[in-house]
Amino acid sequence: MTATTRRVYKRRETITALPLYYSGQLLKKYTGQKEFKNFYGELRGSTIFLYTDEMHDTYSEKLDLQMLKSMSMDSPYQNNRSTIYTLTLTNEEVQLKVDNPNTGEEWRGFIMTVATKEIPSNLQLLPGQMLRLEEVLSEEKKRQAPLSPLPYTYHIHPSSGDTYDDALSGIPLCFFPVSRQKAEKMLKENTEYGSIILRPSTDNTNYAITLRQDHPSGPVMKNYKVLSIDTGFIIELDAPVTVPSLGAVLDHFLKATEFRLHPYLVPQTYDTCIDPRPEDLD
């Protein structure tokens, strides 16, 4: 693998934040279309990310296999023949074509394993390939296992400055059930509290990030949508970012702004002395 290829793969990891299970050349079209289009496909988690070619670091399309209802093969497995699979998803039907039938059988094995959480019983694969499927199945089950709710806590690492641990799940302390207008007002009027607020989105079914960035010309407010999916959250950027938790959403913005911004935290007041029990009055 060349240094350039390694950089491309590393960039993809930062965009998707999902484990890579399988990859290779794919042809894809929607059912009803005449021509297949060439792609380089990566199966990360339960999503196939499709790139224009192997050297592009940003995907152009993706297929969510959690929406897979069925997968059928248009022609029986035969040597020296391209394999075409029809994937019926909840919201669309697509066809994938693989020129090498052996590679096509591998794609089928990986797709069905992550989509159904079971290894198909009728695969024509070598023992080593079956062992890899068992490893993927175990990893995917662990990845999608429900997490016990934990309070989100910030961990400051003195050796690397103000960095925050993104491994914990739960609701970050900078979450407030407010509108966009209210969040922007809070950030304008209480700059000492922080510069990032996590809040419900306007449709009340997802989340949003409101942040304040200070420029010489004055503060600038920005809002980003955060979609909730079965396996985590998608930050809607030019290159969407998938993360496993709301804590990781916050951590992504902190890292992306080189920790110039800080979560909006309202200081709490505490009593500092304990009064003795007052004497009973006569």
Side-chain angles (χ1 to χ4, degrees):
M1 184 183 293
T2 66
T4 302
T5 305
R6 283 195 294 269
R7 285 196 297 270
V8 171
Y9 280 28
K10 191 68 176 176
R11 171 62 177 161
R12 289 175 185 165
E13 289 177 0
T14 63
I15 292 175
T16 63
L18 291 170
L20 175 62
Y21 295 145
Y22 193 68
S23 63
Q25 298 296 328
L26 280 175
L27 291 94
K28 176 252 181 187
K29 73 179 181 68
Y30 291 102
T31 300
Q33 289 182 330
K34 292 183 178 180
E35 301 294 332
F36 281 92
K37 291 177 61 178
N38 284 294
F39 290 99
Y40 183 80
E42 286 190 344
L43 176 60
R44 291 182 177 271
S46 58
T47 303
I48 299 177
F49 293 90
L50 298 172
Y51 301 85
T52 304
D53 57 46
E54 192 172 357
M55 300 311 297
H56 271 74
D57 59 10
T58 303
Y59 66 88
S60 56
E61 299 182 38
K62 64 179 180 177
L63 301 174
D64 184 357
L65 297 180
Q66 291 195 43
M67 297 183 178
L68 183 67
K69 299 171 67 176
S70 66
M71 180 178 182
S72 61
M73 185 162 48
D74 287 14
S75 59
Y77 178 88
Q78 296 180 15
N79 288 328
N80 303 318
R81 225 179 133 175
S82 297
T83 306
I84 298 176
Y85 296 106
T86 299
L87 278 63
T88 302
L89 307 173
T90 303
N91 58 343
E92 60 187 357
E93 187 175 87
V94 300
Q95 290 185 307
L96 300 179
K97 180 179 178 181
V98 185
D99 289 334
N100 186 309
N102 296 309
T103 304
E105 186 71 351
E106 280 192 278
W107 271 111
R108 183 171 77 92
F110 280 96
I111 289 173
M112 294 302 296
T113 296
V114 300
T116 65
K117 306 299 184 296
E118 293 181 356
I119 298 176
S121 59
N122 59 345
L123 290 174
Q124 301 186 45
L125 295 177
L126 298 173
Q129 295 169 321
M130 295 298 295
L131 180 61
R132 174 56 184 154
L133 283 182
E134 292 176 4
E135 295 172 347
V136 167
L137 178 60
S138 175
E139 185 173 351
E140 188 65 6
K141 283 183 175 180
K142 290 178 182 178
R143 189 183 72 84
Q144 294 199 28
L147 299 174
S148 301
L150 295 171
Y152 187 81
T153 307
Y154 300 116
H155 293 270
I156 299 179
H157 305 276
S159 61
S160 58
D162 292 345
T163 58
Y164 298 89
D165 187 354
D166 62 1
L168 297 178
S169 62
I171 304 296
L173 297 177
C174 62
F175 173 81
F176 294 89
V178 297
S179 65
R180 173 191 290 209
Q181 292 75 20
K182 176 63 175 178
E184 292 181 353
K185 186 172 184 289
M186 292 166 63
L187 292 174
K188 286 179 182 178
E189 295 180 351
N190 302 285
T191 57
E192 70 278 13
Y193 292 171
S195 45
I196 302 178
I197 287 177
L198 175 67
R199 59 176 178 81
S201 63
T202 52
D203 57 19
N204 287 319
T205 60
N206 293 288
Y207 294 89
I209 287 283
T210 299
L211 61 83
R212 185 196 74 248
Q213 290 182 304
D214 294 323
H215 295 278
S217 58
V220 174
M221 298 291 173
K222 294 188 176 181
N223 292 273
Y224 302 87
K225 192 168 186 177
V226 179
L227 298 179
S228 176
I229 59 175
D230 290 343
T231 56
F233 301 87
I234 297 176
I235 306 171
E236 288 201 326
L237 303 172
D238 289 337
V241 176
T242 302
V243 294
S245 67
L246 287 174
V249 170
L250 176 61
D251 195 70
H252 179 80
F253 279 92
L254 296 175
K255 291 176 181 176
T257 59
E258 298 180 339
F259 298 94
R260 293 188 180 90
L261 306 184
H262 301 281
Y264 187 95
L265 302 176
V266 179
Q268 303 294 316
T269 58
Y270 295 91
D271 294 324
T272 57
C273 60
I274 302 174
D275 294 331
R277 178 182 176 182
E279 296 181 0
D280 294 334
L281 298 175
D282 293 335

